[in-house]
Amino acid sequence: MGTRIFLFEARRLALSAGCGMAWGAVTSQWQQALFVFLVVLLLLWGWQLARVYHWFSHPEEFPPIGGPGMQGILHDVYVLRSRAMQATSSSQRSQPYLKESLASMREAALIINSSGGLLWCNEAAEYLLGIQFATEEGRRLTETISSPSLEEYIEDGNFQKPLRIHPGTGSERCLQFEFSKFGGDDRLVFVKDVTEQDRLERMRRDFVGNVSHELRTPLTVMKGYIETLQTLMPASDLTLHKSLRVMETQVERMERMVADLLWLSSIENIEGERKEGRIDMGALLSELISDLTAAWPGKNLELQISTSQEIRGDENELRSAVSNLIVNALKYGEDSPVVVRWIDTAVGPALRVEDKGPGIAAKHIPRLTERFYRVDKSRSLATGGTGLGLAIVKHVAVSHEAKLFVDSELGRGSCFRLVFPLSRMVTSAGSAGASDQR
Ligand code: ADP
């Protein structure tokens, strides 16, 4: 299309110049003639532009007729504009029907515009959120429900995950917001009161956290007694020493389990928080690999960094997820080499941890991230596993909007991939890639 327009306009210019020069040759005043023809051509262009401009402000009219190149562009603009107008009018036509259906729902439903101004809400929303629609129409939702997280969520515009908030200060009440884009720039919002569900989840988390915490002291005491007994018992009593060693191993395993449970419950407690630290994954991986190489001296552990991409996240959580994946590859990969890669993919930066160990049968893969799920219990116990490593990885992945993929084949090894979304990338300007990429 671009070439066609260029050729058409070039021809027109050449023709005008030719006519001007021919007239100039006849009248012997070719400079003036050329000037007159070029001025006429410019006026023609100006007139055409004025007609196009007029058409832009009168969309209901047909596009003006222009040259063949221009005509093609105007036709395409006309088709696109007609489609957009049709979509808007069909969305406007469907609004009354939608509002009628939503009005009778028990769940609170609202329609807000892109800046959060209230356009409509049903009775349930008036009741749940204390809105008086008749007097509050057009008012920003965040003026009615005071919550910085709701304000950030609306501004951010990423509605993949629902938002839970406790409106007001020190409130027990928990509301869950689900946003979806609707009718161009508007948003359809469903709000649920999830106070009871939130309370039960908190109780479960607190229970696990408290039990784990309470177990720490008796375990430390037991470990102390085992150590004392080991020094007091005569070295000749092999059976007793063997029993004490078993006790020591089990206590250490329980200590690791308690530590993992406490860590899991602490990351669950801050799940909704924004993870915005700037993490240099290359540096984090290099540090981890050098620590693990020192801790597993006989293993072949290799790091390949093919991107310098930094991401936004929580350093401790990312460190624990990555370390769990690498330690698993070292533990279960037998003596095979373990290769850790930090790479760029089409969907975002990714971590790959690959081993050539015995692999995992397909039937186990969907359950690997369940708490305490083990493929081979005896092997896992022998390697000191707690059964919580991949549950932690999954949790960290969810709180960073990342995805965990497991590719494994029996006898060929396993590859665990943690793929981060483009929105977690740190752009060269130092800010999140979110606004650019979404
Ligand atoms: P654990 O603490 O028992 O290692 P995880 O949650 O980290 O628990 O792992 C769950 C199970 O997944 C392990 O018990 C093990 O059977 C299996 N697994 C994890 N990583 C690998 C791997 N790289 N190769 C083979 N099996 C693995």
Side-chain angles (χ1 to χ4, degrees):
M1 175 67 76
T3 325
R4 254 182 80 197
I5 298 174
F6 173 74
L7 287 177
F8 176 77
E9 294 302 337
R11 262 205 312 272
R12 195 144 74 160
L13 190 63
L15 196 67
S16 309
C19 288
M21 283 164 85
W23 192 9
V26 172
T27 60
S28 312
Q29 287 183 327
W30 61 272
Q31 272 176 331
Q32 283 90 331
L34 190 60
F35 176 73
V36 169
F37 269 91
L38 288 178
V39 166
V40 170
L41 188 66
L42 278 177
L43 285 175
L44 203 67
W45 276 339
W47 178 65
Q48 254 182 14
L49 278 178
R51 284 193 315 152
V52 172
Y53 184 76
H54 169 84
W55 176 60
F56 280 163
S57 44
H58 296 85
E60 67 289 348
E61 291 178 13
F62 280 105
I65 295 169
M70 188 70 137
Q71 197 57 40
I73 297 186
L74 292 179
H75 176 261
D76 288 354
V77 173
Y78 177 68
V79 170
L80 283 175
R81 209 159 66 169
S82 311
R83 274 192 210 145
M85 276 160 67
Q86 264 171 18
T88 313
S89 76
S90 84
S91 128
Q92 274 164 358
R93 271 200 311 279
S94 62
Q95 277 211 16
Y97 171 72
L98 184 77
K99 285 178 184 169
E100 210 176 287
S101 323
L102 294 174
S104 55
M105 275 179 63
R106 281 175 51 198
E107 202 169 344
L110 307 98
I111 298 176
I112 58 170
N113 59 24
S114 54
S115 46
L118 183 64
L119 300 178
W120 177 87
C121 74
N122 67 2
E123 242 178 71
E126 288 192 312
Y127 177 73
L128 183 70
L129 306 173
I131 296 175
Q132 301 266 317
F133 181 67
T135 54
E136 292 183 47
E137 184 178 358
R139 198 172 170 208
R140 294 187 68 206
L141 186 61
T142 43
E143 285 171 32
T144 310
I145 307 154
S146 149
S147 156
S149 2
L150 180 62
E151 206 155 339
E152 270 175 32
Y153 187 74
I154 296 178
E155 228 163 77
D156 199 24
N158 179 2
F159 304 132
Q160 277 172 350
K161 280 200 282 182
L163 171 79
R164 278 194 185 182
I165 60 162
H166 295 272
T169 35
S171 161
E172 266 276 300
R173 195 161 168 248
C174 183
L175 299 176
Q176 178 168 297
F177 287 77
E178 281 180 46
F179 280 63
S180 50
K181 292 194 175 144
F182 156 78
D185 259 356
D186 300 338
R187 280 106 178 82
L188 177 61
V189 189
F190 289 108
V191 192
K192 262 193 279 188
D193 187 338
V194 289
T195 309
E196 195 50 28
Q197 200 179 328
D198 184 68
R199 199 176 63 85
L200 289 173
E201 278 170 23
R202 219 180 29 243
M203 268 171 63
R204 180 190 62 80
R205 281 202 302 269
D206 288 352
F207 175 77
V208 175
N210 291 341
V211 168
S212 314
H213 193 75
E214 292 301 318
L215 279 173
R216 275 205 322 197
T217 317
L219 283 173
T220 315
V221 173
M222 275 166 73
K223 206 171 164 199
Y225 277 122
I226 291 169
E227 276 166 16
T228 314
L229 284 171
Q230 274 171 333
T231 50
L232 291 180
M233 288 299 152
S236 54
D237 197 338
L238 292 179
T239 322
L240 203 59
H241 272 283
K242 197 173 161 208
S243 312
L244 285 173
R245 258 201 312 278
V246 172
M247 279 171 75
E248 192 182 26
T249 314
Q250 292 304 323
V251 167
E252 280 169 356
R253 208 184 122 238
M254 277 193 76
E255 273 183 335
R256 277 197 301 277
M257 200 176 287
V258 163
D260 275 357
L261 274 172
L262 276 172
W263 175 233
L264 201 51
S265 95
S266 83
I267 58 179
E268 270 184 336
N269 278 333
I270 53 163
E271 192 179 57
E273 283 180 17
R274 291 166 74 89
K275 319 269 153 92
E276 299 297 320
R278 188 175 168 158
I279 316 292
D280 178 347
M281 285 297 282
L284 187 146
L285 285 168
S286 305
E287 201 185 303
L288 256 176
I289 296 287
S290 83
D291 290 352
L292 289 171
T293 310
W296 299 71
K299 297 280 183 175
N300 183 350
L301 181 56
E302 192 189 326
L303 174 64
Q304 293 177 5
I305 298 178
S306 59
T307 174
S308 58
Q309 188 58 61
E310 292 184 336
I311 55 168
R312 291 175 305 113
D314 180 289
E315 182 160 0
N316 289 334
E317 288 190 21
L318 289 169
R319 186 185 297 274
S320 99
V322 175
S323 131
N324 272 311
L325 289 177
I326 306 176
V327 168
N328 274 355
L330 292 169
K331 279 194 307 192
Y332 302 108
E334 299 192 329
D335 286 329
S336 78
V338 172
V339 184
V340 181
R341 292 190 181 94
W342 179 237
I343 51 170
D344 264 331
T345 72
V347 286
L351 173 85
R352 280 173 70 107
V353 180
E354 210 170 343
D355 66 69
K356 297 271 175 264
I360 307 163
K363 66 173 182 186
H364 296 293
I365 293 179
R367 300 196 59 190
L368 285 182
T369 55
E370 285 174 22
R371 288 172 194 212
F372 302 112
Y373 187 83
R374 288 151 177 133
V375 174
D376 176 351
K377 198 157 185 163
S378 55
R379 172 131 183 74
S380 182
L381 294 182
T383 53
T386 62
L388 293 167
L390 291 179
I392 292 175
V393 176
K394 176 76 190 292
H395 219 87
V396 174
V398 171
S399 68
H400 286 77
E401 299 101 37
K403 288 210 163 83
L404 175 68
F405 297 97
V406 185
D407 306 307
S408 189
E409 215 179 304
L410 277 180
R412 292 188 155 238
S414 313
C415 176
F416 287 74
R417 285 179 296 136
L418 201 51
V419 184
F420 294 88
L422 290 171
S423 56
R424 284 254 157 223
M425 280 172 32
V426 175
T427 59
S428 48
S431 59
S435 48
D436 306 327
Q437 311 290 347
R438 259 173 218 146

